[in-house]
Amino acid sequence: MNRKLAIIIGLQAFLIVILFWLLVFYGKDEFEAISEQTEEEIETINRVANKDGLTVVNISPAAQKQSDIFTAPLKASSHQASISTYGTVVNIDTLIELRNRYLTIKSEIDILKASFNHNKNELERFKTLNQDNKNVSDKVVASAAANAKADETRIAAAESNAKNIADSMRQLWGDTLAQHATNPKTSDLLQALISNKKVLIQTTLPFDAAEPQLNSSITIAPTAAPSHTMRADYISPAPLTNSTIQGKTYFYHAVTNELRTGMQVNAITATSSKKSSGVVIPNNAIVWYAGKPWVYQKTGNDGFRRKPIHTDIEVENGWFYQGDLKANNEVVVSGAQLLLSEEFKSQIMNENDD
């Protein structure tokens, strides 16, 4: 009896296994078909649309906040075109030497003028005495007249010499520095140059470059350390040209104790008096794709459009841009890379649909 029961149980187990195998074998294709149908029924959100021939990424305000997508208005700016040129730290020994000679002669002139005034007064006194019953002889009067005349001659010669020195300074150093050098009271600029608190720099600009304006400045850096920039303020045109670079030359001064006489410097200076109007694209708004810079402009509450820009002119904290982006247009400053990923994810989805 127990043997028959065991056989029956064994047959039942065998049948169950066979039935389960058949269920799996014949139900596999139907299960896969149902799974594929279920996957197709799961809707993939497409956030990219084509509007007026332009691709627009649509992100709801709530999703923007959740994804840390933030925008900022562009600020208006202006830019003055500039060029890079070269300059040299100038030795001012000749200027100082001419100044010393000039001031020495001017001092001599002051002494001669004092002597002349004294001798002239003596001459007038002797003339009066001579006319008063010859209390002073004609010879004394003649001698006093000769002394006064000699003083006049020496004064004229000294003044001519001083003028020649001043002319030499103007020919070598220009009117402005010559005025500083011929002033008996040492100016702040000249004193700073003499004490090496400032250096004098001569730069060369192309012939078609705009003239530097008073109170303007340029950026300079030693050629050996181009990243070590400093400011140089305009002084005046320089009369002498550079022997190696043809162009218009100008003098600048810079507050530094790091530059030495004869050093070469790079100089960045304005080339035009006209300023171009545009906007500043912040660095954090730029996203790079295919080797080019782009920004996402906000076109509505939930729309963003990718636009190409150019990064030719770098300014503080960004890039100066002239184009169809205007002041107060909003661009994405946080989350631009996320929008780029969303845009191209849509393209991949569309390719799969094909």
Side-chain angles (χ1 to χ4, degrees), residues 7 38 46 95 133 135-136 161 222 234 239 252 264 294 316 343 349 351:
I7 292 174
T38 302
N46 187 357
L95 178 64
N133 296 322
N135 290 327
V136 171
N161 196 7
Y234 175 68
Y252 289 81
Q264 301 293 317
W294 307 75
E316 187 177 2
E343 180 180 344
M349 289 168 51
E351 291 174 358

Side-chain angles (χ1 to χ4, degrees), residues 90 166-178 200 202-203 235-242 247-251:
V90 180
D167 289 341
S168 296
M169 281 192 280
R170 278 189 288 271
Q171 290 174 3
L172 294 173
W173 301 96
D175 288 337
T176 301
L177 287 176
L200 185 67
Q202 179 176 304
T203 62
I235 298 177
S236 67
L240 301 183
T241 188
N242 190 308
K248 300 184 294 185
T249 51
Y250 301 91
F251 284 131

Side-chain angles (χ1 to χ4, degrees), residues 4 22 24 40 82 127 129 133 137 147 172 219 228 231 258 270 278 332:
K4 290 181 178 180
L22 290 173
V24 171
E40 291 177 356
S82 62
K127 282 182 178 180
L129 293 174
N133 296 322
S137 66
N147 290 337
L172 294 173
T219 300
H228 190 62
R231 169 179 165 174
E258 299 176 352
V332 175

Side-chain angles (χ1 to χ4, degrees), residues 73-148:
L74 294 176
K75 295 181 179 180
S77 180
S78 60
H79 176 74
Q80 193 171 23
S82 62
I83 59 170
S84 295
T85 184
Y86 295 96
T88 305
V89 180
V90 180
N91 189 331
I92 64 169
D93 286 351
T94 304
L95 178 64
I96 302 306
E97 179 186 355
L98 290 172
R99 168 181 164 81
N100 291 336
R101 288 171 54 192
Y102 177 84
L103 294 181
T104 299
I105 292 174
K106 293 297 287 185
S107 296
E108 292 175 357
I109 291 174
D110 291 338
I111 295 172
L112 289 172
K113 284 182 176 181
S115 176
F116 171 72
N117 290 332
H118 172 75
N119 288 334
K120 186 177 179 181
N121 291 334
E122 284 291 291
L123 175 61
E124 294 301 324
R125 187 170 68 86
F126 289 154
K127 282 182 178 180
T128 302
L129 293 174
N130 179 262
Q131 292 171 1
D132 185 14
N133 296 322
K134 299 291 183 178
N135 290 327
V136 171
S137 66
D138 293 338
K139 184 177 180 180
V140 172
V141 174
S143 177
N147 290 337

Side-chain angles (χ1 to χ4, degrees), residues 145-206:
N147 290 337
K149 186 62 177 179
D151 286 340
E152 280 187 310
T153 303
R154 285 193 289 267
I155 289 172
E159 286 182 339
S160 177
N161 196 7
K163 182 180 180 300
N164 291 337
I165 294 175
D167 289 341
S168 296
M169 281 192 280
R170 278 189 288 271
Q171 290 174 3
L172 294 173
W173 301 96
D175 288 337
T176 301
L177 287 176
Q179 290 174 9
H180 282 277
T182 54
N183 190 340
K185 182 178 179 181
T186 306
S187 66
D188 293 339
L189 172 60
L190 192 59
Q191 183 59 48
L193 292 173
I194 294 172
S195 61
N196 290 324
K197 292 180 180 179
K198 289 184 178 182
V199 293
L200 185 67
I201 297 164
Q202 179 176 304
T203 62
T204 304
L205 296 182

